[in-house]
Amino acid sequence: MPIEIRLPSDQPQNWLAILCLLYKPLVGNEAVLLYETLTSLAMTNRNAQTTIEEEQLITLLQATRTSLTTNRVRLEKFDLLRSFQNQQKELVRIVLCPTKSAQDFLSDEVLRRLLYQSVEREGVRQLQSIFEVQPVKEPEEELIEVTQILDLSHFEQNWTVQKEEDLGSANMDWSSSREYDFDWDVFFRNMHRTLPSRLRTKANLNRIAYLANVYGVDEETMRRLVIRHLRDKRTWIDFDALINDLGTTTKVVEGKPDDYSQSPVSFLKAHQPGNAKVLPKERSLLLSLAKTHEFSNELINTIVEYSMEQCQGSLVEKYVRTLANNMARAHVETRDQALEYFSRTKNAISSRKSSKAEPPVEANLPGWYDIIPTEKGTKEEVEAILALQKQVLGSGSSDSDTPASLDGLDSLDLPDQPADPSKTDDQNSEPLWFE
């Protein structure tokens, strides 16, 4: 479903500076990037209706559907945009709201205090000097606000998982979460006041169970980590910080080397020699396999085991990613298919090696292509040839013109015929060309 984007009509002239300097400490970098991206898309087509598919927006931001929703909600809470759904509860329109002016922002009692909470006193002073905001005059008489707010503490304390299931809320799909081996009753124990109902959305619960499954942490450890990373008075969960903690935590469930259905981190830990630890970079690699290719634990663990066998016990990231990409192209989804794929790969490599090791085929030469054996001449034949050579070279020239090397041939003292005829050939001193 395409989403329509509408620009604000009365945006301040210095809205970008206000957004980056005043709003960013409150909503975060990603939310500011979303606001700027939506504004840029609408401004490129100001004279016509601007629409974009949600998947295209996710790709453009290099984000996830969960982070897109989280950042959109942050902007809504600070009156920076408004969202509209159709009857099927599909997001169909986003209306960008103008930022407050710098003076209005710093005069707002809530925003000014939230800004102080983020940048402290010195930061607020610097921002006031940048925008040259005049100090706000306090009223002569101090007034006490008596407006009542809705207290949900009693409701959240008595709201249970069973009630949520009976309600069948459209914002929660427990069946999707329970695809993972995750005990929600243990996770929500004593959490009814700590984790508000507004944070128990389908996206949040799925992601919590998903991360616990990949990193191999139990429900109690996951509960403590989630509580640690609740932000802005428990209005959202900082999953980025949660993943950083999961990358270094030592509270990993002990696994078995032959259990391929367990979490990839527990499986890798069970295959580590001695007290070797699973490094944060290795955990990030395993999370990437589960996220990018949507591989099951069984398939990820099979890839890990095979890669370590091929790399002498090391988990080489480049090798693992290449292998995973090739298996994704081959539509490998189960452990049995992976083992069959490995077998085919090994057979193909063995056949190529054996073909290279075969001896070269001898050329089929014609019958006349033979090497004729060389025979040595006798002593009498050698002497006759030398005499003929001397006669030819010496004819028509004086004795002084005869080369010294040829004149000396007559003085060669050839040995007599040996008594043993078998040694005759070895003692002949015929020239090298006489072969």
Side-chain angles (χ1 to χ4, degrees), residues 95 218 413:
V95 178
D218 58 21
D413 187 10

Side-chain angles (χ1 to χ4, degrees), residues 8 16 52 118 129 144 187 195 293 305 365 369 377 406 415 428:
L16 185 58
I52 187 171
S118 299
S129 63
I144 301 174
F187 177 80
L195 187 66
H293 301 291
E305 183 182 53
L365 300 175
Y369 190 85
L406 295 178
N428 289 339

Side-chain angles (χ1 to χ4, degrees), residues 207-221:
R207 195 169 185 182
I208 289 171
Y210 167 80
L211 292 174
N213 170 72
V214 173
Y215 285 97
V217 297
D218 58 21
E219 292 80 5
E220 294 184 357
T221 302

